[in-house]
Amino acid sequence: MFNSLLMDLMFVVLIGVGSQWVAWRTRMPAIVVMAIAGLLVGPIFGWINPQQSMGDLYGPIITFAVAIILFEGSLNLDFKEIKGFGRPVARIVTIGAFIAWIAGSLAAHYIAGLSWEVAFIIGGLFIVTGPTVILPLLRQARLKPRPAAILKWEGIVVDPFGALLAVFAFETIKFINDEVTAKAMMLFVGASLFSVFLGWGTSRLLGSAFEKGRIPEYLKAPILFGLVLFVFVLSDEIMHETGLLAVTAMGMTMANMRLTTLQDIRHFKENISVLLISGIFVMLTASLDPHILIEILNPKIVLYVLAMLFIVRPLSIWLSTIGTDLTNRERTLIGWIAPRGIVALTVSGYFATILLDNGYEDAELLTALTFALVFSTVVVHGFSIGWLAKKLNLTTPEESGVVLIGSSRFVAELAKNIQEAEHQVLVVEDSWGGLSNARKIGLPTYMGDILSEHTGYHLDLTPYRYILAMTKVDVYNSHVCADFTPDLGRDLLFQTSTHKRSAGQQFNLTTGQFLFTPNLSINELEERMTSGFVFRKTLLTNQYSYTQYLRERDDQSILLYIMRADGELEFYTAEKELQAQTGDTIVTLSTPNKTIERTIDRLEGKDGKSNVKKEMVETKFSEEPTNEKPAIPGEAPPKISKTAE
């Protein structure tokens, strides 16, 4: 429709990011939305064809994008975290991957009709289970910790190695077919070792320069990605297809160097990765020939997909986990769930071109085969994981844990109060200093940005039902609620009130529910803590009703939440008026005056005589040093904050 390279590039970017947004709003897998969009603007309506308009640039663009995507994925391979999951993960990512490679290759040859060369290459690539697809499925299904952890780490560890295994298969088959000599094969092995050394050495040098401050902050991300492309191209020029190995080794090395600077550039690299994944996926689908869509319905391809779903995957999991402590129910679930993701699609397109250039005509089927497998696994596993997990009793019960995002003393004290009510809590902040208040009183914490993709890889949010965004940045609080709305629903997302810009005006940014009654900003809540407000709990009884409590409570007190008699939590908001019953507990942030009065009542006998002078009690609870310095962040809370009624 448009005979313009610039117009095609604009469409690719716009459709790619637009598809990501539609997927977020509709809670559909992004890969499905992007595929549909690419097919509509490409082979169906014929509006764009990136491969034709880009010409010779099409291949290098795809190759560069795959290199950066694999590097970004390998940055999540922190082996210190993997060790905690024991033998099952190690078996699945080694023995299981090998079995899946061999079985998948046999299926590709005998069922799909591919030549041995192409079958073993595509079999190696299809061992991947894309983390970009499986992580949303895990959040949706609420699996128990162990099967969820195994599936998550399998996706992260195996994903970068699928392409490398395909490269190894390609070179090995050429050697077996006498297309290359033993000397050339040894040269490939040597070049592979050199690429690993190049990636490792570059990471060590760059990491040292980052940590010693030899590179300014604004140049860190550009230099990092510039060197990624340099390492990839240099390795690939020395020996074709070793560039992917080099950038993977580079990413793995940096992931295990514990570089603090990676936290600073994480947003940038994730944004680049999302943009590349979106754009490249649309480019691949929009460049498809219409006959490939028809080829997907080929009986051989359909049978191959069924074999991968019902034979290859279960077989690899059951055989590789013999002798481990996995139960049969866990093996059944893990053996069924294996969605393929965007990396499989992008790399298969890369190898399809290489194989066709080397004379393997049946490689034309690779794109159709890959699309059929990816779409089938994403849709089938996406709709079945929750149902199967429930049938196998591998879902967690409906938890009422609370994630609190913020660094203030109020956030830490609220989390401590909820924890004392026997609910799980987690305080999240993006700096160690910001977590000092929570760490001082022994609360579970996580340092990281809750909106980061890296956090999604490493933080299990399954036990937590509520998210309370209470940072001092209103826009960020709104973004947190917006980001988790598709997964949790708005009823479980809360944020503190926005700051007032002028009299009677507030930022109109909220996507979560405004917390507490009255709803106050986090700064106002922190001021109450500084002025001596304390957390108070009031149990409703037959003699003391909710109506009486509301009538008698201090006008300055802030209603925080109700802990129901059955343990359920309900937070007060500006949108919903809560009702409480006998057996419920009301939690408020109140002035110490009520605490003083009740202490006096307890000290007085039934005859009304006091054993301690009232003036002494008032002094004990109400004296607030006027010349004292403000509370230091991280300081342990005053004992008065633990007073409960």
Side-chain angles (χ1 to χ4, degrees):
M1 181 177 180
F2 300 102
N3 189 20
S4 168
L5 173 60
L6 191 61
M7 185 68 72
D8 281 3
L9 287 174
M10 181 273 294
F11 263 109
V12 164
V13 174
L14 186 63
I15 294 170
V17 296
S19 299
Q20 292 272 11
W21 180 83
V22 171
W24 169 76
R25 292 291 298 177
T26 60
R27 303 183 66 178
M28 291 179 61
I31 193 172
V32 174
V33 179
M34 287 187 290
I36 294 174
L39 293 173
L40 289 175
V41 300
I44 295 179
F45 292 113
W47 293 347
I48 62 173
N49 190 323
Q51 187 171 14
Q52 288 183 359
S53 59
M54 294 179 185
D56 293 339
L57 290 176
Y58 181 79
I61 290 175
I62 296 290
T63 303
F64 274 179
V66 171
I68 293 175
I69 291 169
L70 285 179
F71 170 75
E72 199 276 335
S74 61
L75 277 176
N76 294 292
L77 295 179
D78 188 341
F79 292 115
K80 181 179 179 181
E81 299 182 23
I82 297 172
K83 291 178 182 178
F85 299 120
R87 295 175 64 192
V89 170
R91 290 282 195 88
I92 290 173
V93 302
T94 53
I95 299 174
F98 178 77
I99 295 173
W101 175 33
I102 300 301
S105 301
L106 293 174
H109 175 71
Y110 287 108
I111 298 178
L114 299 179
S115 64
W116 281 114
E117 295 85 351
V118 177
F120 270 96
I121 291 171
I122 202 65
L125 179 59
F126 284 164
I127 68 171
V128 301
T129 56
T132 56
V133 180
I134 203 166
L135 290 178
L137 297 186
L138 295 179
R139 285 197 295 266
Q140 174 187 349
R142 301 185 66 85
L143 300 182
K144 287 185 176 180
R146 187 161 70 166
I150 291 173
L151 286 170
K152 180 180 75 171
W153 282 106
E154 180 197 8
I156 295 173
V157 174
V158 175
D159 205 53
F161 290 102
L164 305 181
L165 188 57
V167 171
F168 173 76
F170 180 58
E171 293 296 330
T172 302
I173 288 171
K174 287 200 299 182
F175 172 72
I176 294 174
N177 290 339
D178 293 328
E179 295 180 24
V180 296
T181 63
K183 181 179 179 180
M185 187 64 183
M186 292 300 296
L187 181 62
F188 169 74
V189 174
S192 299
L193 294 176
F194 170 78
S195 67
V196 172
F197 175 78
L198 178 63
W200 173 85
T202 303
S203 292
R204 302 296 299 184
L205 292 174
L206 185 60
S208 176
F210 280 169
E211 294 297 283
K212 293 180 180 180
R214 294 174 180 171
I215 299 177
E217 290 296 323
Y218 74 96
L219 283 180
K220 285 183 177 179
I223 288 177
L224 174 62
F225 282 97
L227 284 177
V228 168
L229 296 180
F230 167 77
V231 167
F232 173 79
V233 173
L234 180 61
S235 296
D236 215 54
E237 288 296 316
I238 294 174
M239 177 62 67
H240 289 303
E241 285 75 68
T242 60
L244 298 177
L245 180 60
V247 296
T248 303
M250 184 177 176
M252 290 172 58
T253 304
M254 297 194 75
N256 290 275
M257 289 177 66
R258 309 292 187 269
L259 298 176
T260 56
T261 191
L262 286 182
Q263 298 293 333
D264 302 328
I265 62 176
R266 195 169 298 281
H267 281 303
F268 176 79
K269 76 178 185 63
E270 287 176 359
N271 292 337
I272 289 293
S273 180
V274 170
L275 184 62
L276 287 175
I277 287 173
S278 304
I280 296 306
F281 196 79
V282 172
M283 286 174 59
L284 289 171
T285 53
S287 299
L288 287 177
D289 290 332
H291 79 272
I292 292 180
L293 299 180
I294 301 174
E295 193 68 32
I296 290 177
L297 301 178
N298 186 321
K300 291 183 178 181
I301 293 180
V302 173
L303 289 175
Y304 172 77
V305 171
L306 292 176
M308 293 293 288
L309 286 172
F310 294 99
I311 299 176
V312 174
R313 173 64 178 183
L315 182 68
S316 66
I317 296 300
W318 279 82
L319 292 181
S320 64
T321 55
I322 293 175
T324 66
D325 58 350
L326 286 184
T327 65
N328 290 337
R329 290 183 290 111
E330 290 172 329
R331 289 183 182 182
T332 300
L333 180 65
I334 296 171
W336 171 245
I337 302 302
R340 273 66 173 185
I342 293 175
V343 170
L345 276 169
T346 53
V347 178
S348 70
Y350 172 73
F351 273 103
T353 302
I354 293 177
L355 290 170
L356 286 172
D357 291 342
N358 282 268
Y360 296 98
E361 296 181 358
D362 56 334
E364 289 181 345
L365 288 177
L366 287 188
T367 304
L369 201 67
T370 307
F371 270 91
L373 183 63
V374 169
F375 295 156
S376 299
T377 55
V378 168
V379 174
V380 173
H381 295 158
F383 284 105
S384 64
I385 183 172
W387 174 84
L388 182 60
K390 289 180 180 178
K391 289 291 184 181
L392 296 173
N393 195 26
L394 291 177
T395 56
T396 57
E398 191 66 26
E399 300 287 351
S400 57
V402 182
V403 175
L404 302 96
I405 305 168
S407 60
S408 67
R409 179 185 162 200
F410 171 80
V411 171
E413 289 292 335
L414 178 61
K416 184 67 174 179
N417 197 271
I418 295 173
Q419 186 186 59
E420 290 173 348
E422 300 183 354
H423 291 272
Q424 291 191 61
V425 297
L426 180 68
V427 180
V428 179
E429 244 292 324
D430 59 2
S431 68
W432 281 114
L435 290 172
S436 60
N437 284 308
R439 289 188 289 114
K440 286 287 186 181
I441 55 179
L443 293 171
T445 60
Y446 178 85
M447 189 195 75
D449 183 359
I450 195 70
L451 296 178
S452 170
E453 184 181 1
H454 178 267
T455 299
Y457 283 126
H458 296 282
L459 180 60
D460 181 16
L461 295 176
T462 302
Y464 306 99
R465 185 180 184 188
Y466 306 98
I467 292 182
L468 277 57
M470 296 185 288
T471 72
K472 295 183 179 180
V473 182
D474 297 328
V475 176
Y476 184 81
N477 295 337
S478 296
H479 286 170
V480 169
C481 295
D483 191 70
F484 283 93
T485 295
D487 294 325
L488 300 180
R490 189 170 179 270
D491 291 341
L492 303 178
L493 298 168
F494 306 88
Q495 66 183 99
T496 46
S497 179
T498 54
H499 301 80
K500 295 182 179 180
R501 303 182 64 179
S502 60
Q505 291 185 344
Q506 291 182 318
F507 290 108
N508 186 22
L509 300 171
T510 182
T511 56
Q513 302 176 76
F514 279 143
L515 279 166
F516 314 136
T517 302
N519 52 92
L520 302 177
S521 69
I522 190 62
N523 286 344
E524 292 171 313
L525 292 167
E526 193 70 3
E527 289 172 3
R528 301 294 197 280
M529 295 289 296
T530 304
S531 62
F533 276 54
V534 296
F535 286 86
R536 298 180 65 242
K537 298 177 182 178
T538 303
L539 176 65
L540 301 182
T541 65
N542 292 327
Q543 293 75 32
Y544 190 65
S545 66
Y546 186 52
T547 302
Q548 183 179 355
Y549 169 79
L550 293 178
R551 185 171 60 248
E552 296 180 359
R553 76 183 181 95
D554 187 354
D555 292 339
Q556 298 184 55
S557 66
I558 303 166
L559 298 171
L560 302 179
Y561 66 90
I562 299 176
M563 186 174 70
R564 300 296 182 183
D566 60 0
E568 187 76 11
L569 299 179
E570 284 197 61
F571 292 93
Y572 283 95
T573 67
E575 302 177 359
K576 184 178 179 181
E577 183 177 349
L578 299 182
Q579 297 295 326
Q581 308 296 329
T582 299
D584 295 343
T585 300
I586 314 299
V587 181
T588 60
L589 185 67
S590 306
T591 62
N593 295 333
K594 281 283 184 181
T595 306
I596 295 171
E597 293 173 4
R598 289 195 57 83
T599 301
I600 295 172
D601 292 340
R602 289 168 181 168
L603 292 173
E604 291 179 347
K606 293 182 179 180
D607 56 358
K609 294 181 180 180
S610 174
N611 296 321
V612 181
K613 292 184 179 180
K614 182 177 180 179
E615 291 79 9
M616 293 176 63
V617 177
E618 288 178 341
T619 301
K620 178 180 178 182
F621 285 90
S622 63
E623 64 178 3
E624 186 73 27
T626 55
N627 297 324
E628 197 170 305
K629 293 181 180 180
I632 300 173
E635 193 176 46
K639 291 183 179 179
I640 190 173
S641 68
K642 296 183 180 292
T643 302
E645 186 175 312

